[in-house]
Amino acid sequence: MAIFGKDNSDLLHQILRELGELRERVTGQQQAIDQLRGDTTASLNTGLAETRAVVRDGLQRHQEMIGDPLNRIGGELVAIRNGVNDLGRERQTSPQTAAEPDRETAGQAPTASNELLRAAAGISAAELQMHRDSWSFLVEHAASDRHFRVPGSVKEEGGAVTVQVSGPSIVAALTSLQRVSGSDDEPGTRAIAEHLHQRFSETVQAVIDQPHRGDGVDPVRIVVDDRAKAASEEEGD
């Protein structure tokens, strides 16, 4: 029994010794792993830092190659825009040159003045006589104006129409026809708008020249019906 006990004791010491050696090897391997992990992390950090530096340097060069020229181009565009604006202001403030025909001498409708528009606004009602095509043209271009009102009834006879229009509708007609005559690209459209604008303007100007309020005179009539002089009138002249 003593011999068996001694053998067991030696075996236990041997196992403990081997366990101690194994523990030391494991500890050494763990230290090596930790060292390797630290070295790898340091290497990665260094590599990332170097990569960031390379990318940052590349972006800086890209900014210098692209951003600076764009900034210069932007500055030049601002200078050009300012120059164009200055030129536009000079054209607006400069007197009319001989090369630019006057609107009235060129057959264009004169600008509706504030006095003309105020006088038109004061007209209670006016009788408008014109061909139905001219009436359609007027409605087409003036109906979008917030002051224009399409009459409730239109009397038509022989292709001509007679309608009653209000002062605000006359204001809308003047401003709308003026806009079309000055902006439309089609010569025929401009010519129609200019002629109608002129006829409205002449009628309202007569109200300004010979003002009257209330009854006692004929109502305002705007007639668009140009005709050639009769042969009898020419002989009389």
Side-chain angles (χ1 to χ4, degrees):
M1 293 296 294
I3 295 175
F4 180 78
K6 184 176 184 302
D7 291 339
N8 287 338
S9 177
D10 293 341
L11 179 60
L12 179 60
H13 285 300
Q14 182 179 355
I15 292 173
L16 292 175
R17 184 175 62 254
E18 291 177 354
L19 287 175
E21 294 174 355
L22 179 61
R23 185 183 298 109
E24 291 178 358
R25 287 197 299 269
V26 171
T27 301
Q29 291 177 355
Q30 183 63 45
Q31 292 176 350
I33 291 172
D34 293 340
Q35 181 65 38
L36 179 61
R37 183 184 294 111
D39 294 343
T40 302
T41 301
S43 178
L44 288 175
N45 291 336
T46 302
L48 287 175
E50 294 175 353
T51 301
R52 292 193 189 98
V54 171
V55 172
R56 185 164 51 249
D57 183 63
L59 291 175
Q60 181 65 29
R61 288 198 300 271
H62 177 77
Q63 177 65 26
E64 293 173 356
M65 294 173 60
I66 302 298
D68 293 344
L70 287 178
N71 291 335
R72 289 195 297 270
I73 292 173
E76 293 173 358
L77 289 176
V78 171
I80 292 173
R81 184 169 63 250
N82 292 336
V84 171
N85 292 337
D86 293 340
L87 180 60
R89 285 192 291 268
E90 291 176 2
R91 287 179 61 86
Q92 291 177 357
T93 56
S94 62
Q96 188 177 34
T97 63
E100 298 175 343
D102 182 79
R103 289 179 61 87
E104 295 186 17
T105 58
Q108 296 181 354
T111 301
S113 65
N114 289 334
E115 181 185 17
L116 201 68
L117 296 178
R118 286 196 299 269
I123 297 175
S124 174
E127 184 179 85
L128 179 60
Q129 296 180 0
M130 59 175 58
H131 193 274
R132 61 186 177 187
D133 293 342
S134 299
W135 170 245
S136 297
F137 181 92
L138 177 61
V139 173
E140 176 184 355
H141 294 283
S144 60
D145 191 291
R146 62 180 178 176
H147 301 301
F148 189 81
R149 298 291 183 272
V150 178
S153 62
V154 177
K155 179 181 178 181
E156 182 176 352
E157 183 177 355
V161 298
T162 302
V163 296
Q164 300 294 324
V165 295
S166 65
S169 291
I170 298 176
V171 172
L174 286 170
T175 55
S176 299
L177 293 171
Q178 175 188 335
R179 182 183 66 254
V180 174
S181 65
S183 63
D184 198 282
D185 295 332
E186 206 281 312
T189 301
R190 289 201 307 271
I192 298 172
E194 290 164 6
H195 185 74
L196 293 178
H197 183 278
Q198 182 180 3
R199 189 55 47 86
F200 274 81
S201 298
E202 291 172 350
T203 303
V204 177
Q205 186 62 48
V207 175
I208 296 175
D209 296 338
Q210 298 178 347
H212 183 85
R213 292 184 176 87
D215 298 331
V217 295
D218 294 334
V220 176
R221 297 176 69 244
I222 304 174
V223 181
V224 183
D225 189 6
D226 297 349
R227 306 186 184 190
K229 183 181 293 187
S232 58
E233 294 179 351
E234 292 180 354
E235 292 175 358
D237 294 340

